[in-house]
Amino acid sequence: MKTYYNPEDLKKFGDISEWQEKLGEKFFDYYGAIFQDGALTKREKTLIALAVSHAVQCPYCIDAYTEESMEQGYDEEQMMEAVHVASALKGGATLVHGVQMMNKYKDLSM
Amino acid sequence: MVKLYNKSLLSQSDSLSDPKNQLNLLDKVNLIPFQENLKKSNLFPLKPINIDVFQVNIGKMCNQVCKHCHVDAGPDRKEIMTRDTMHLCLDAIDKTSCSTVDITGGAPEMNPDFRWFVKELFKKNKKIIVRCNLTIIVANKKYNDLPIFFKKHNVEVVSSLPYFNSKKTDAQRGNGIFDKSIKALKMLNEVGYGIEGSGLVLNLVYNPTGAFLPPNQSVLEADFKIKLMGKFGVQFNNLFAITNIPISRFLQYLLVSDNYKGYMQKLVSSYNPMAASSVMCRNTISISWDGYIYDCDFNQMLDLKVSAKEKHLSKYNFEELLNRNIIVNQHCYGCTAGSGSSCGGSVT
Ligand code: SF4
Ligand code: SF4
């Protein structure tokens, strides 16, 4: 069955450098550097990445960071709480625009 | 999640109960041979450095039937070491410059000569490790005094507890196992095991409850300490994070859950040369219930006897064993992934 997303494609992510080597390399170096221990640990960054992968709704990232979170020792409850944080931000970001709607509504009303 | 039976492969007449079928399967996946990676790391042929740990598997009989068990142990397994073979072990230990004797199973305590064997080792002044599955302590009245017996013979206890909750623990080890394990841990704590300053060592083993690699050992240990103490008042010394080796019942799980290929690819891509140089077979020898000699407990379960002229304890030749080539295969990737894995946890 043909689908837009194929789990096998995640392993081919590195292939994007084939068509633009310099930028590809820069991106992967940067990506790799980000996930090193820094002011935040690699473990903390993994949970952030899990939440963000849901916010950007990237199936590749969700697969990758679910597995990575398990390998970093997070459990179901912790991981779901992270997804709820993403959900709160996405939901909140939608709802806060309700204020803009209210403003515009008021502007246009007598 | 897949439905697996809490039964041994043997009792299910699963073709994987024959080690040859496991090896065929491991050979079939199109991945870089482990030997190739060892060559690149200048480690081929893999040689022992020493034999410091003499590991004895005194039987496949167990009161549990964990889904990931590499021994395919269970109550139906009748293969246990006789006292005669234990005598051969003791003779071999005398000829080996090992500091530690590591007793495993199955549930080693179910062997009727277990206590006799421990007492004999105690006389030899060896460090004794017993891989105790915890629940055996509460399985029957006759085992309730094990913590005291361990204490009396200064045994170091190593016990599996894959997580600090029942959901994950029971999913891997069987229904009700977590609660029984906590009860047993408290009994061990009561006599001093795992309590700072007591000198009685209680180490826990973490195995991933699925097709993924273990987390960083020290981070996980800190988490376990807080959770076990906070929720259950249980203390322990160290946590060993161990990778599941793709053999036996864990291999069955990988196949049934369609995780086999992905897990093998993960192991191979996580190959760590540093871990490869410290694999446990370089300082361990493993003995089966019937007295045969292997490089490790995993090779034992795959029936890969040592590459030496004398493969049985009855003709134990320490010098020859020290010079042997260790038999490696695709399952060895489990020992070299990430931080590496051994019976004592991470190796890097
Ligand atoms: S993993 Fe240990 S406790 Fe579980 S069945 Fe195997 S030998 Fe028994
Ligand atoms: S599986 Fe056994 S032989 Fe292979 S690397 Fe691990 S300890 Fe050594």
Side-chain angles (χ1 to χ4, degrees), chain A:
Chain A
M1 191 179 72
K2 275 204 170 220
T3 59
Y4 282 102
Y5 289 110
N6 178 356
E8 288 299 310
D9 285 348
L10 177 56
K11 289 185 207 98
K12 298 180 197 154
F13 190 10
D15 296 355
I16 62 146
S17 302
E18 282 173 17
W19 288 9
Q20 222 314 343
E21 203 178 327
K22 262 193 195 153
L23 294 180
E25 272 175 15
K26 274 182 198 288
F27 172 79
F28 286 115
D29 279 353
Y30 172 68
Y31 196 110
I34 286 172
F35 282 95
Q36 301 298 315
D37 282 335
L40 293 175
T41 62
K42 182 181 175 199
R43 188 168 189 261
E44 289 162 338
K45 290 176 193 178
T46 300
L47 203 59
I48 296 172
L50 179 72
V52 174
S53 62
H54 283 79
V56 298
Q57 291 169 326
C58 168
Y60 299 119
C61 307
I62 293 172
D63 268 8
Y65 285 101
T66 299
E67 188 170 345
E68 184 63 26
S69 297
M70 292 166 88
E71 294 183 356
Q72 293 290 339
Y74 291 115
D75 62 24
E76 300 98 312
E77 213 179 335
Q78 293 168 318
M79 287 161 66
M80 189 55 86
E81 279 185 26
V83 175
H84 275 288
V85 173
S87 159
L89 272 280
K90 281 207 99 171
T94 304
L95 281 173
V96 75
H97 285 84
V99 179
Q100 190 184 343
M101 172 190 75
M102 289 163 82
N103 288 343
K104 185 69 184 172
Y105 187 97
K106 285 171 195 164
D107 284 350
L108 295 175
S109 303
M110 275 190 278

Side-chain angles (χ1 to χ4, degrees), chain B residues 62-66 68-74 105-107 133 173 249:
Chain B
C62 190
N63 58 319
Q64 291 184 195
V65 199
C66 306
H68 71 303
C69 182
H70 73 271
V71 179
D72 196 25
N133 72 12
R173 298 177 76 76
R249 293 214 286 262

Side-chain angles (χ1 to χ4, degrees), chain B residues 19-310:
Chain B
K20 280 193 213 86
N21 293 333
Q22 296 182 42
L23 286 167
N24 279 341
L25 204 80
L26 285 161
D27 280 345
K28 254 198 233 151
V29 213
N30 192 15
L31 293 166
I32 311 163
F34 186 72
Q35 289 88 330
E36 291 299 317
N37 266 315
L38 282 188
K39 273 180 202 158
K40 279 188 217 148
S41 315
N42 287 323
L43 285 166
F44 191 78
L46 191 62
K47 290 295 225 182
I49 296 167
N50 193 358
I51 299 179
D52 190 41
V53 181
F54 193 97
Q55 191 175 60
V56 193
N57 192 316
I58 64 171
K60 299 188 185 205
M61 191 183 280
C62 190
N63 58 319
Q64 291 184 195
V65 199
C66 306
K67 286 179 189 152
H68 71 303
C69 182
H70 73 271
V71 179
D72 196 25
D76 60 304
R77 302 303 301 259
K78 306 292 179 233
E79 304 92 325
I80 53 167
M81 189 178 272
T82 60
R83 195 178 280 206
D84 282 350
T85 307
M86 286 179 182
H87 271 295
L88 291 178
C89 285
L90 295 168
D91 292 345
I93 288 164
D94 287 339
K95 294 178 193 150
T96 312
S97 57
C98 61
S99 68
T100 304
V101 179
D102 184 337
I103 308 174
T104 188
E109 302 89 342
M110 290 175 89
N111 183 314
D113 290 314
F114 165 74
R115 293 190 194 217
W116 174 82
F117 191 46
V118 170
K119 283 180 197 161
E120 290 301 310
L121 292 169
F122 185 65
K123 285 186 216 156
K124 291 192 186 297
N125 228 353
K126 296 286 177 192
K127 173 174 160 183
I128 308 166
I129 294 176
V130 171
R131 299 195 178 259
C132 168
N133 72 12
L134 295 173
T135 63
I136 192 69
I137 297 175
V138 294
N140 186 303
K141 240 199 195 147
K142 66 179 175 186
Y143 299 122
N144 289 170
D145 67 334
L146 276 169
I148 294 162
F149 174 80
F150 291 150
K151 179 178 179 171
K152 200 168 154 201
H153 300 92
N154 205 18
V155 166
E156 183 175 309
V157 178
V158 178
S159 297
S160 281
L161 191 73
Y163 213 65
F164 39 74
N165 66 29
S166 57
K167 196 173 164 195
K168 279 177 189 268
T169 303
D170 291 2
Q172 184 189 71
R173 298 177 76 76
N175 283 342
I177 297 294
F178 182 75
D179 290 346
K180 287 181 197 158
S181 302
I182 292 292
K183 202 170 158 195
L185 283 168
K186 285 185 175 165
M187 288 163 76
L188 285 161
N189 279 172
E190 259 163 41
V191 302
Y193 271 99
I195 311 294
E196 227 185 277
S198 70
L200 296 171
V201 179
L202 168 61
N203 293 328
L204 295 184
V205 171
Y206 163 95
N207 281 93
T209 46
F212 57 98
L213 295 182
N216 176 290
Q217 186 168 278
S218 52
V219 172
L220 198 65
E221 180 182 291
D223 231 19
F224 261 70
K225 287 209 164 164
I226 294 168
K227 296 281 173 24
L228 284 180
M229 186 60 200
K231 285 191 182 165
F232 310 101
V234 162
Q235 298 182 63
F236 68 96
N237 296 95
N238 306 296
L239 182 82
F240 302 151
I242 295 187
T243 304
N244 288 310
I245 305 292
I247 65 168
S248 198
R249 293 214 286 262
F250 188 68
L251 180 57
Q252 183 199 36
Y253 157 75
L254 289 174
L255 291 170
V256 174
S257 64
D258 204 19
N259 276 308
Y260 177 53
K261 206 171 141 209
Y263 188 73
M264 289 307 293
Q265 283 169 341
K266 177 99 200 180
L267 292 183
V268 176
S269 64
S270 311
Y271 174 81
N272 175 359
M274 284 278 286
S277 69
S278 310
V279 281
M280 66 180 172
C281 48
R282 302 194 77 189
N283 73 350
T284 307
I285 203 87
S286 154
I287 310 296
S288 61
W289 66 278
D290 51 357
Y292 281 96
I293 309 166
Y294 300 83
D295 299 301
C296 70
D297 208 41
F298 305 119
N299 282 9
Q300 183 182 138
M301 300 314 151
L302 289 170
D303 199 23
L304 299 168
K305 296 185 177 75
V306 272
S307 162
K309 204 172 124 244
E310 306 303 349

